[in-house]
Amino acid sequence: MKVGLFGANGRMGRVLIEALDQNENAELSVATVRDDSPWIGMNVGELAGIGKKPIDCLGMSSLTQQHADVMIDFTLPVVFENNIAWCVANKMPVVIGTTGLSESQLAVLDEAAKTIPIVFAANYSVGVNLMLSLVRQAAKALGNTADIEITEAHHRFKQDAPSGTAMAIGEAIADELGRDLKTCAVYGREGKEPERDQGTIGFATVRAGDIVGEHTALFADIGERLEITHKASSRLTFAKGAVHAAQWLHGKPAGLYSMVDVLDLK
Ligand code: NAD
């Protein structure tokens, strides 16, 4: 199976090159960068620090339908519309890991999924997707009496906050409790505040150094608290999950799928 990459030069792009190199059933067939990028013509293996490989980076406008069976997109919201439009125009299945998409971009995603198969997940690690079902279980048992707070920490370069994963954890808990996250979420606290409203779900964000990604869902009552924590120590865990999703997606009908579908965690 031929897998292509958008944004090959990004932090995730480079580990995706490595993950594809380690996978025996999927081959990296094309790696694109922006048309004005100094990385055009750079060998992908050298870019990823794994030694010379058979292909070099290509400018986005040279990408054709023949280059890949499935594309993987871990870029930034600013390029999301371009990439998804290319996939729709070329009937190309796509695995999307870009986070921080706006409401209108999510609507574009839904529309695109009517014509092409898409996996979209805020986090491609197996552990985090398992955490999404564990927090549902905890919410069911404790959510109506415990205070719920979600904390997350990431590296200093991350551009969206709270992380897409923290939001997905909040959505899962709110859904389980029949709450609407849009109205019950509290993003940070400062100064004099009224007593905590038990119906809220709090979020707190840390940005520091090279933290790959840490998430905790805290369920705290008087006398006990439960914390469910996931810590990623290498981006390779997301990249391997995305490659697994690309293999799963190949040959699927049009639709919007999640990692819960890919891992059959329902
Ligand atoms: P990065 O900044 O290192 O890479 C961004 C990529 O986007 C680069 O290749 C860059 O060239 C490209 N890009 C940016 N602006 C562009 C433009 N105008 N035109 C064309 N290309 C452009 O970021 P990263 O750390 O690799 O993360 C990428 C995305 O993946 C982020 O949204 C991040 O939150 C997300 N992410 C998701 C997961 C997950 O499991 N879903 C895990 C880690 C990161």
Side-chain angles (χ1 to χ4, degrees):
M1 194 184 97
K2 294 188 294 180
V3 180
L5 289 183
F6 291 115
N9 59 314
R11 278 177 291 270
M12 279 305 300
R14 291 171 203 233
V15 286
L16 281 158
I17 294 170
E18 192 179 344
L20 281 159
D21 186 58
Q22 291 176 9
N23 190 302
E24 286 177 3
N25 303 312
E27 161 211 357
L28 175 61
S29 54
V30 68
T32 66
V33 292
R34 51 203 289 179
D35 278 320
D36 59 354
S37 172
W39 300 105
I40 291 177
M42 173 84 179
N43 184 266
V44 293
E46 288 174 352
L47 179 63
I50 53 171
K52 214 166 168 63
K53 297 292 164 188
I55 63 167
D56 298 332
C57 293
L58 200 69
M60 180 61 196
S61 62
S62 306
L63 182 64
T64 68
Q65 197 182 31
Q66 285 67 45
H67 274 121
D69 299 316
V70 179
M71 290 295 293
I72 299 181
D73 183 5
F74 278 65
T75 55
L76 297 181
V78 68
V79 252
F80 166 77
E81 269 113 336
N82 272 354
N83 291 352
I84 195 89
W86 185 90
C87 291
V88 169
N90 289 280
K91 301 200 170 14
M92 182 67 68
V94 60
V95 171
I96 301 175
T98 306
T99 63
L101 299 182
S102 65
E103 292 283 331
S104 64
Q105 289 176 321
L106 291 172
V108 170
L109 182 74
D110 279 338
E111 197 53 37
K114 291 179 184 159
T115 48
I116 55 170
I118 300 173
V119 179
F120 175 61
N123 197 304
Y124 280 87
S125 90
V126 176
V128 158
N129 285 284
L130 184 57
M131 182 176 174
L132 289 176
S133 62
L134 294 176
V135 296
R136 280 183 179 272
Q137 227 181 308
K140 207 169 175 178
L142 306 168
N144 286 320
T145 52
D147 299 324
I148 303 169
E149 297 277 317
I150 297 163
T151 53
E152 60 103 339
H154 281 87
H155 52 90
R156 64 170 67 144
F157 308 105
K158 186 161 177 64
Q159 294 193 6
D160 53 317
S163 70
T165 304
M167 296 308 295
I169 292 168
E171 292 285 1
I173 294 171
D175 181 58
E176 196 63 45
L177 296 173
R179 297 183 197 167
D180 179 1
L181 192 64
K182 284 194 182 69
T183 53
C184 75
V186 173
Y187 299 103
R189 299 182 177 89
E190 191 185 26
K192 201 167 160 42
E193 299 232 348
E195 198 172 290
R196 192 186 192 289
D197 173 352
Q198 203 271 324
T200 59
I201 297 177
F203 288 82
T205 295
V206 172
R207 292 287 173 264
D210 60 356
I211 300 168
V212 173
E214 301 185 358
H215 295 88
T216 294
L218 164 68
F219 298 81
D221 208 335
I222 306 297
E224 68 170 350
R225 65 179 196 258
L226 171 70
E227 293 179 22
I228 301 174
T229 295
H230 178 269
K231 296 184 182 185
S233 50
S234 162
R235 286 186 179 81
L236 206 50
T237 188
F238 309 127
K240 284 183 175 169
V243 171
H244 178 61
Q247 290 173 288
W248 180 89
L249 190 63
H250 189 35
K252 288 276 182 306
L256 188 56
Y257 305 99
S258 71
M259 247 342 234
V260 172
D261 299 314
V262 174
L263 298 170
D264 201 12
L265 285 173
K266 274 197 199 104

